[in-house]
Amino acid sequence: QVQLVESGGGLVQAGGSLRLSCAASGRTFSSLHMGWFRQAPGKEREFVAGVPRSGARTYRADSVKGRFTISRDNAKNTMYLQMNSLKPEDTAVYYCAADGRDSLLIYRRDEYEYWGQGTQVTVSS
């Protein structure tokens, strides 16, 4: 079992920055593929960014390329999402996700077994 806890959300002006953190329980973090998803009111949960357990490469949705950076620190059992140049359309609840299988489609919601409770990000214009 894996427990995930997001933090770092808040209210910012358009053009500002936030860094989200996802802390994982246990000692198995290095074996987990990790991802960030977000969900705005009335919309489906969508992929934002992902990083496999190797940490050798990262993946980002087209809507956040050039603005968001995903990273992980296995020694701290933590994944991060650095969000710059925030836009009002980035407003959503941001969720951390994890899965321990050898391979998966990192951008698919139904590929992940473990989910955090989410952290609210609100970007004002």
Side-chain angles (χ1 to χ4, degrees), residues 18-20 36 49 58-60 64 66-71 80-84:
L18 286 173
R19 189 174 79 154
L20 305 184
W36 286 101
T58 60
Y59 303 85
R60 290 163 297 279
V64 305
R67 301 189 298 121
F68 291 10
T69 302
I70 188 171
S71 62
Y80 304 97
L81 184 68
Q82 179 66 48
M83 304 186 295
N84 299 325

Side-chain angles (χ1 to χ4, degrees), residues 16-98:
S17 297
L18 286 173
R19 189 174 79 154
L20 305 184
S21 298
C22 172
S25 65
R27 312 178 80 92
T28 61
F29 184 75
S30 62
S31 70
L32 298 171
H33 304 292
M34 304 293 297
W36 286 101
F37 291 77
R38 67 186 181 187
Q39 187 167 22
K43 302 186 70 175
E44 295 184 7
R45 193 170 300 184
E46 65 178 4
F47 173 76
V48 176
V51 57
R53 59 193 180 194
S54 70
R57 65 173 66 217
T58 60
Y59 303 85
R60 290 163 297 279
D62 289 342
S63 60
V64 305
K65 286 182 178 177
R67 301 189 298 121
F68 291 10
T69 302
I70 188 171
S71 62
R72 65 189 296 159
D73 186 338
N74 287 349
K76 296 182 178 180
N77 289 348
T78 302
M79 174 181 65
Y80 304 97
L81 184 68
Q82 179 66 48
M83 304 186 295
N84 299 325
S85 301
L86 282 162
K87 305 174 181 179
E89 50 263 45
D90 295 319
T91 295
V93 176
Y94 283 71
Y95 296 92
C96 175

